[in-house]
Amino acid sequence: MQWEHLTALALFAFVSTFTPGPNNLMLMTSGANVGFNRTLPHMLGITIGFPVMVVLVGFGLVEVFDRYPIIHQVLKALSLAYLFYLAYQIARSQPPQEADTYKPLSFLQAASFQWVNPKGWSMALTAVTVYNPNNSLFGLALIAVIYALANIPSGTFWIIAGKQLQYFLTSAKRIRLFNYSMATLLVASTIPMI
């Protein structure tokens, strides 16, 4: 991969991991509800799970979707259903003062979530097709490593942003409003997929 392509890939990975999407909204929500340490497994699940998805997409999952489009449609429906379920769980979370009902995603849940994350699919397909046109193993590995590295500061930023919201979220009413807002934004993030 040439230096110009590497720079463009790094910029694409950085921007695409920092922009709002399901992963970042859930990290911010978790940071606001349970803090940094309890959200760390969720962030690490994204950091490892997404690059694994990129590698598997590069190994031919795109061809499977081209050959059997129904699989793509089923995955899309499952993705939407799971995102709506997560939004519902966020919306019904109660403020910690009332009950500790908010449960952040575990490492495995967050890693698995990448497979039903519409923004994740878009990022993976774009990265593999644009930045690895020769389908080289080295190029694929490089994309995965760059995304893993980009996810660390991105995830950290969104968790800390959520944690900082705790200074504002000082009443049960504000926490409920925040959780409803995050659930609404999560559902809204599915609009491009629909």
Side-chain angles (χ1 to χ4, degrees):
M1 187 176 291
Q2 296 176 340
W3 178 253
E4 294 82 17
H5 287 113
L6 185 61
T7 305
L9 169 62
L11 182 60
F12 177 74
F14 184 79
V15 170
S16 62
T17 58
F18 265 89
T19 54
N23 280 328
N24 293 336
L25 292 173
M26 289 189 302
L27 286 173
M28 186 170 72
T29 303
S30 185
N33 280 279
V34 297
F36 189 86
N37 290 339
R38 286 188 56 199
T39 305
L40 201 52
H42 182 167
M43 184 186 89
L44 294 175
I46 295 166
T47 302
I48 301 301
F50 184 74
V52 167
M53 183 176 130
V54 166
V55 168
L56 293 176
V57 165
F59 277 137
L61 205 50
V62 176
E63 289 179 30
V64 171
F65 288 158
D66 287 342
R67 198 171 286 180
Y68 305 103
I70 189 71
I71 293 174
H72 187 258
Q73 294 304 316
V74 168
L75 181 63
K76 188 175 177 180
L78 290 173
S79 297
L80 286 170
Y82 189 62
L83 282 171
F84 288 138
Y85 168 76
L86 288 173
Y88 172 75
Q89 293 294 1
I90 289 169
R92 68 182 273 265
S93 296
Q94 296 300 311
Q97 296 89 344
E98 293 177 13
D100 192 14
T101 59
Y102 186 87
K103 295 191 179 17
L105 293 183
S106 69
F107 174 87
L108 288 176
Q109 288 172 323
S112 300
F113 174 72
Q114 302 319 298
W115 291 95
V116 294
N117 178 357
K119 182 183 175 193
W121 273 102
S122 172
M123 290 165 38
L125 291 170
T126 301
V128 167
T129 56
V130 172
Y131 297 104
N132 192 26
N134 300 329
N135 295 324
S136 75
L137 291 177
F138 176 75
L140 197 54
L142 197 56
I143 292 169
V145 168
I146 287 173
Y147 263 102
L149 293 174
N151 273 314
I152 294 169
S154 169
T156 301
F157 170 83
W158 284 95
I159 295 170
I160 291 172
K163 176 89 173 118
Q164 292 303 308
L165 284 171
Q166 287 179 340
Y167 297 112
F168 173 74
L169 302 174
T170 54
S171 70
K173 183 178 180 181
R174 287 181 179 178
I175 292 170
R176 268 192 232 94
L177 180 62
F178 173 77
N179 287 342
Y180 287 139
S181 299
M182 291 298 101
T184 302
L185 287 173
L186 187 57
V187 169
S189 74
T190 66
I191 291 172
M193 191 173 150
I194 297 172

